[in-house]
Amino acid sequence: MTLFETVFSGNDAVYGLTEGAINAAIEQHGADKAISFPNTAYSLPCYYAVTGVKVGTLGELKEALGVVKTLMTREMRTHDIFMSGVATALCAEFIEVLKYIDGAAPYEEPCYGHLADAVIRELGVPLVTGDIPGVAVILGKAPTTEDAVALVKSYQAQGILVTLVGDVIDQLAEAGMKTGANVRVIPLGKDVTAVIHVVSVALRAALIFGNITPGDAGSLMKYTMERVPAFVNAFAPLNDVIVACGAGAIALGFPVITNQEGVSEVPKSLIVQTDVSKFNATSLEARDIKIKITNIDIPVAFASAFEGEIIRRGDMQVEFDGSRVDCAELVQTVDASEIEDHKITVVGPEADEMELGSKNSIAYVVKVAGKNMQPDFEPVIERKFHNYINCIEGVYHTGQRDMQRIRISKDAFNAGFRIKHIGEVLYASVKNEFDAVVDKCEVVIYTDPAECTRIRHEVAIPTFDKRDDRLKSLTDESVDVYYSCILCQAFSPSHVCVVTPERLGLCGAVSWLDAKATNELDPNGPCQVITKERPIDERIGEYEDVNEAVQKFSQGALQDVSLYSIMEKPMTSCGCFECICGIEPFSNGVVITNREYAGMTPLGMTFPELASMTGGGVQTPGFMGHGKHFIGSKKFMKAEGGIERIVWMPKELKDTVAERVNATAKELYGIDNFTDMIGDETIATDPETLVAFLTEKNHPALSMEPMM
Ligand code: SF4
Ligand code: NI
Ligand code: NI
């Protein structure tokens, strides 16, 4: 069979199945039955992205199938192959959505099935920073279980996000390999139609970050081709349906690599690689993915894919716990003459001398020297320790400063991992990432309990106190410059964050100090200095120089932004914001919700629905994406009255930010325990109950001027 015949026949087969399934569903539930994937603002995201139409019922699904049929042209041009591929993918989405009818949960562990919008938003930052350099879609059954494990591990070691469809899922389970989003290996489902769940991620990325208009299929495919670094590995034997799905992948710009012999190859798009051990190299080359190599001399793997790995009590060899015993982690700037580069010292017992399962003290001091080093960079470097130590396979780290907690697994220990290797990791990572400011680096790790107590109380805590005082003195008024951040332009081409001391980037990951350090490390990089010498309107925080910078960095897409208003010229959002804030008209206030909160808000919208109101680098008055830390800021929508406007937050978020919010409310308005006046989901998820609660609490927003 030719490629044409194969794709057409696969497409026809899936179409037939879909038609049958929809008819059967209508017969059973009626045409008015509502359908949608859960936790998404886009109902059937792929169909919506391609056509601009939101399907809501089974009857509409049937109509949509008619539209899909029009894509299935049967002339003998490459275009027909691509469109039939897209049609196959859309049919797969229809078949999958039927599984979710009546709120069913069709997927069981370890499979995920449909992925929530929130998952895509979380992927935003690691994708733009290159922390996740690519997305692999592995489909079918590997020649052997060992091949399957080796391939997945090879991607994992590179930080590539792996999604799995079909028998390979069982192969990994059989080998006892851990899977899950936290280790970047996501089994989607065993039916081939489950592949749509990763396609859905790519297309939603275009809607969320790229501001692609739903229905603009040309721009959509251009976006995925240029900006979503995905590729497919399809194991032989291929059938017509898999080939037809593959044609859909190629239409989106995702190359397909297979070990099926005799397939007619398409350069850079459909590639035969009979040696499965070379799938990795062939795929990266086909998709032009470059991997940043960090060579660290330790006996276990080191990769960002292990960042989310959790080590249970029973699997752990030893533990260090700053909440129980004296611990600390610290960066210290010293004179170059005082240290020896790459010297690593352990003062106190090594892991072999600690009892199995015991809780111990640890304090590591990373001494750095360099002519461009500034004490302001110390906390920036220090905050990366969490991420560095977590990337070690079999080592887990949480917390910071003197409250960190580390676990070393039995597996890592048995592989030869020791405490000194933490020093190796810190040394290599700091030198690698901060080479522009760190010329020399030495690490001292204390495990002797008395030494840990000394370091913590006499060295670390005084340093932290000094830094906190410095941070408190950093206000928008006290500094001479702000910084731009355009990291997210990889996905949101016109988005610019303006980062100030009192307003961090909306992803929550870039503070003014971080931006300053980033600028110092790479003066032509994503963070540039913005002066603030020519104010236009202090009330909303508008400056001529900031506007000029935003015009330049958005390539003219944005003309003017304010720093402190949600209504007038608000800052844009890319898509990876931690929180979203929106106007609540009945109370004159605003509601904030965060990515982790899956429930309803009094605006009648969930996080994904609210989040879809803004994004893609476009200004949307009334909605603002922002970082969690911004909530307690005195500059939080200052133009509209500030944090006094906050009427509702999910309880967990409220608890997290309570201390800062209450302090700010006390200082600005003289209100005690302001968070007690703010609603949450245990109080109200509809406007009437919320307003009644606010009235009872005499919430200040009720008597403020309307925002609209
Ligand atoms: Fe993206 Fe803004 Fe965060 Fe930079 S600060 S990474 S542009 S969200
Ligand atoms: Ni103590
Ligand atoms: Ni972003």
Side-chain angles (χ1 to χ4, degrees), residues 121 124-125 128 209 487-489 491-492 495 497 506-507 573-577:
R121 292 178 185 278
V125 172
V128 296
F209 301 112
L487 253 180
C488 284
Q489 286 198 354
F491 291 97
S492 273
H495 173 70
C497 276
L506 53 86
C507 57
S573 302
C574 45
C576 58
F577 37 84

Side-chain angles (χ1 to χ4, degrees), residues 417-438:
F417 189 87
R418 294 294 177 271
I419 287 164
K420 65 171 188 232
H421 294 121
I422 293 179
E424 283 293 343
V425 165
L426 293 174
Y427 168 80
S429 307
V430 168
K431 282 290 288 249
N432 183 40
E433 190 168 346
F434 296 95
D435 57 336
V437 294
V438 175

Side-chain angles (χ1 to χ4, degrees), residues 609-626:
E609 287 164 339
L610 258 166
S612 72
M613 306 294 291
T614 180
V618 182
Q619 285 175 311
T620 28
F623 294 95
M624 171 174 74
H626 58 87

Side-chain angles (χ1 to χ4, degrees), residues 96-234:
E96 288 290 313
V97 79
L98 291 175
K99 296 181 181 173
Y100 286 89
I101 225 162
D102 272 335
Y107 284 94
E108 303 179 355
E109 283 232 352
C111 293
Y112 281 69
H114 170 78
L115 299 168
D117 288 358
V119 173
I120 300 163
R121 292 178 185 278
E122 268 171 41
L123 289 175
V125 172
L127 278 166
V128 296
T129 56
D131 187 26
I132 297 181
V135 179
V137 184
I138 303 180
L139 212 154
K141 185 174 189 173
T144 67
T145 301
E146 293 71 43
D147 288 330
V149 171
L151 182 65
V152 172
K153 284 204 162 171
S154 72
Y155 289 129
Q156 224 183 1
Q158 293 163 329
I160 287 180
L161 176 73
V162 180
T163 59
L164 307 166
V165 177
D167 290 343
V168 64
I169 296 173
D170 290 333
Q171 289 182 304
L172 294 190
E174 198 185 298
M177 189 168 170
K178 277 190 233 162
T179 58
N182 62 329
V183 288
R184 294 199 189 152
V185 179
I186 306 184
L188 293 172
K190 294 184 189 160
D191 300 336
V192 64
T193 47
V195 76
I196 199 63
H197 301 307
V198 56
V199 175
S200 169
V201 169
L203 299 188
R204 274 180 285 164
L207 301 181
I208 291 174
F209 301 112
N211 194 35
I212 299 295
T213 312
D216 182 356
S219 303
L220 185 72
M221 289 182 199
K222 188 165 177 286
Y223 183 93
T224 55
M225 179 166 313
E226 289 173 358
R227 296 182 189 271
V228 181
F231 57 86
V232 180
N233 287 172

Side-chain angles (χ1 to χ4, degrees), residues 326 453 456-457:
D326 286 330
T453 298
R456 181 183 181 204
H457 290 283

